[in-house]
Every structure is written in C-alpha cells, then in structure tokens.
Amino acid sequence: MRLFLIASLFLIAACVDRSIVPVAPESLKASEVEEVLTATLREPAENGWFSDARAGELHFVDLDVAIPPERKKGQIRLQLSRKINPETHFTMSGRKDLPNQQAFTEAIRSRLRGLPRDQQDVMIYVHGYNNSFADGVFRTAQMKADFQVPGVALHYSWASAANPLGYTYDRDSVLYSRDGLEQMLMAVTRAKPRRIVLVGHSLGTMLVMETLRQMEIRHPGWAKRHLGGVVLISPDLDVELFRMQAERIAKLPQPFVIFTSSRDRALQLSARINGSQARLGGLQDPGALATLPLTIIDVSEFASGIGPDHFTVGTSPLLIQLLGNGADLQAAFDTDRAGRSGLLPGTVITAQQATQVILSPLLLGN
C-alpha cells in the first residue's frame, strides 16, 4: 500500500508539463531577485530553454530568478498550468547567454569582485533525480535566499528526464555528465573564489562523488586544495559505493557533511528498486563510515512523513531557522567535531573519524 501511494504521487506529478519555464520580467519590480549562473549539459529545447536530452557540450547562462513575496521559507510552489502568478510562483526575470567557458569564468569573477573578500564564496548546487531545468535553477535560488548564503550561486544542470518513471535514464545521465561537471569546476577555480562549497542532492550526489573521484585520479589532491566544503543532501547512493569513492580521495575536503533521514520515502523506494540496498541518505549507523572524516546530520525528526521529505533540509522552516545563519554554521564546522553540537543541538555520536548529529526540533528552544 505504501509503495502504491508513493507511485500514485509520482504519476500525478508526471501529468504536469515540466518543460514549461515561467518567465515574467515584470516581477522584477516587486520581488527579491537572486542571480544564478548556470552550466548545463542539456540540449537546447524548441522553446528556447533546455530539454531533457543530453548535449555534447556545456551551455552557459546567467539567470535572474524572481522569488515570490507570498510564500513560506522552503516553499517552491508547483506550477500546474501555463498561468503564472509572480506573487506566488518563482519566475525567470532575466537571462543572458554566455558564449563559452571563458565568459562563464569572467562572469563569476565579476560577481566576486563586487563582494567583500570574506564573502567571495561560490556555492555550486547539483540537482537530483526527476528535475527539470527550471526545478534546479529555482532550488538554487531558494536555498541562497532562505539560508542567506553569501557569495555567488551557481547551478549545474544535468539531463534529468524530469519524469518519475525516468530513473534509469537519470542514472545513465549522471555518468554521462561527469566530464561536464569537471569542466565547470575547473572554470570556477579559474575565477579564484575564496571558497567553493559543492552541494549535491539525491541522485546528484552520485554525480558529485563520481566527478570528485575522477578528478582525484587526474589531479591528486584537487578536492582538498580547492573545495571549502561538500554537502550531500538525501544522497541516493549505495553506502558501499560511497565508501569506495570517498576512500579513493586522499583527503576529503572539510567540512564534509551528509544529511540523512530515516523517513525519506523516496530513498525507501530507491532501496527497493536497487535490490533493498541501503541508501546513504537513510544511514542511521555512523559506524559504517567510521574511517572517514565526515559529519552525518540526521534530520529525521524534522520530516513530516508526507510531502517533500526528500529535501527536508531545504523545505522545513524549522531546519531553515536552525541552519540559516551561514556564518555561525561555518564557524561550528571549522571547530573540532565535538564542538559542533553547540550550534547543532541534538545527540552527538562519534565513531572513530565520523561524527553523527541527530537533530531534534524539541531542542531548538533550549
């Protein structure tokens, strides 16, 4: 029955035309606007945006995203028709196509120059399974706004089918997209930001880890030298595969954070699809990764059991409240592992090099 309900929700979502990109330039006047520089390995679509087909080379776009004033933190309202309401829907309010990788690097460098040195950071978001081009761009803008992330927001858009029945296609697209993400990362490093934080979600975490692994083979120590943090959100990734990938990297960049939940229904379904193999995003025992210097943050208690629990970190207003102070959170991760519980209230469990923090909403008021 549970699998039937999950499948029913997926099929309802499949009825929505995911290729529509809501554009409303007039929304610039009344909305908060976030700039999202995007590199995509999707083929251009007939509507002028980007499709679910795999491209042979990267395309680069500089986008303005208007964030609607009438929404709760964490909310991206699903557009069910071609009718756009900028008061409640995220919209694209500006676009500039960049001709090549060099122009992309220069656009990043230009943004960084306008910021104080201590804010010259880059956050790169890699979307997950069942995402359209607009889905990933809007999620990047939402996270930057809600978490008050300093610096420049970038998005890597790989060719997901944006269809709940396209899991196999998406898995193949992840492997297809590794070289593209490597090219993007190299372009970002040439802009010389103070710090690069790489964030992956769901199936996108496999893309992140596979790319870091191949870059380690080609450029030993690259991740440690150039990344100021890696965050894996609800990773749809086999635990043993992840351990092999991570152990191939001589030194994991720090902080290295994994957000998990035992209530993530999408990962429960993925485990069944993959022969009941445990997914990293549902990991409850830090001992399975004891030899790796990383932090596992269990957000199960913030999941509602319904709705978008596959992205609890970005959709729970309580969690956004807790994690929304980027400076304080970074300070917590820059200290020793035991000291992190001061800004991450919950139960702290250590297993050799790994640390698990089990967060609880009941402790937020303490």
Side-chain angles (χ1 to χ4, degrees):
M1 177 60 71
R2 181 176 298 176
L3 285 175
F4 173 76
L5 290 174
I6 294 172
S8 297
L9 289 173
F10 280 170
L11 290 173
I12 290 171
C15 296
V16 180
D17 185 353
R18 307 288 297 284
S19 67
I20 298 173
V21 177
V23 179
E26 68 276 8
S27 62
L28 269 169
K29 300 175 182 178
S31 302
E32 177 183 358
V33 175
E34 293 288 353
E35 295 178 325
V36 180
L37 284 161
T38 301
T40 181
L41 206 58
R42 296 173 182 264
E43 277 284 1
E46 291 182 0
N47 63 8
W49 290 92
F50 297 95
S51 70
D52 60 358
R54 301 165 188 148
E57 61 181 8
L58 286 173
H59 300 272
F60 303 96
V61 285
D62 184 353
L63 299 168
D64 291 330
V65 177
I67 298 178
E70 297 181 12
R71 73 174 187 105
K72 297 178 181 178
K73 282 194 174 184
Q75 181 185 60
I76 299 179
R77 184 168 294 179
L78 184 66
Q79 184 184 334
L80 299 176
S81 70
R82 293 182 179 272
K83 186 176 181 179
I84 299 170
N85 181 359
E87 296 296 309
T88 56
H89 291 132
F90 277 64
T91 56
M92 302 288 190
S93 57
R95 169 178 172 172
K96 178 182 178 182
D97 289 274
L98 304 174
N100 51 42
Q101 194 173 119
Q102 182 178 350
F104 181 69
T105 297
E106 184 52 43
I108 300 169
R109 188 180 290 125
S110 177
R111 301 279 191 288
L112 294 172
R113 286 196 199 106
L115 297 171
R117 180 57 186 168
D118 63 354
Q119 294 182 21
Q120 291 181 6
D121 298 343
V122 168
M123 178 195 76
I124 303 173
Y125 175 64
V126 182
H127 68 79
Y129 155 69
N130 188 26
N131 269 225
S132 68
F133 177 79
D135 291 338
V137 173
F138 289 161
R139 181 62 71 187
T140 306
Q142 177 255 320
M143 287 194 298
K144 188 173 191 304
D146 287 350
F147 288 103
Q148 300 177 17
V149 178
V152 181
L154 273 61
H155 177 49
Y156 182 68
S157 180
W158 52 275
S160 165
N163 187 317
L165 302 180
Y167 189 82
T168 300
Y169 180 85
D170 280 14
R171 284 279 293 266
D172 290 344
S173 286
V174 160
L175 299 179
Y176 180 88
S177 302
R178 292 171 295 186
D179 290 353
L181 180 55
E182 178 176 348
Q183 292 168 25
M184 178 189 183
L185 287 169
M186 298 301 285
V188 174
T189 58
R190 285 192 285 272
K192 300 188 183 304
R194 184 181 72 108
R195 177 166 53 203
I196 301 171
V197 177
L198 184 56
V199 181
H201 174 238
S202 183
L203 202 55
T205 62
M206 178 183 287
L207 175 52
V208 167
M209 292 305 299
E210 279 291 295
T211 302
L212 293 183
R213 181 180 182 275
Q214 77 175 31
M215 293 182 75
E216 183 70 20
I217 294 170
R218 189 174 304 178
H219 311 286
W222 184 91
K224 179 67 175 178
R225 290 194 302 272
H226 294 283
L227 295 183
V230 174
V231 180
L232 305 183
I233 301 172
S234 308
D236 185 2
L237 185 57
D238 180 272
V239 176
E240 293 178 352
L241 173 59
F242 168 76
R243 188 166 56 238
M244 181 277 294
Q245 293 165 327
E247 288 174 348
R248 185 61 181 81
I249 300 171
K251 291 185 178 180
L252 289 180
Q254 296 297 314
F256 197 106
V257 183
I258 304 171
F259 284 94
T260 67
S261 171
S262 61
R263 298 183 180 180
D264 190 322
R265 293 185 176 183
L267 291 181
Q268 292 167 7
L269 181 58
S270 175
R272 290 178 178 262
I273 292 172
N274 288 284
S276 296
Q277 295 299 309
R279 312 316 284 168
L280 182 62
L283 186 68
Q284 298 299 296
D285 177 15
L289 303 175
T291 60
L292 299 171
L294 48 76
T295 301
I296 302 163
I297 303 181
D298 188 334
V299 298
S300 301
E301 293 302 315
F302 291 83
S304 63
I306 58 174
D309 287 340
H310 193 41
F311 207 95
T312 301
V313 170
T315 57
S316 165
L318 273 177
L319 260 183
I320 292 172
Q321 173 191 332
L322 174 62
L323 302 174
N325 192 325
D328 285 351
L329 188 63
Q330 182 62 46
F333 283 117
D334 286 343
T335 63
D336 62 281
R337 287 177 292 136
R340 291 173 190 170
S341 60
L343 287 174
L344 296 175
T347 302
V348 179
I349 301 171
T350 59
Q352 296 182 45
Q353 296 192 71
T355 301
Q356 182 183 41
V357 182
I358 304 174
L359 298 183
S360 171
L362 298 177
L363 298 174
L364 283 179
N366 295 343

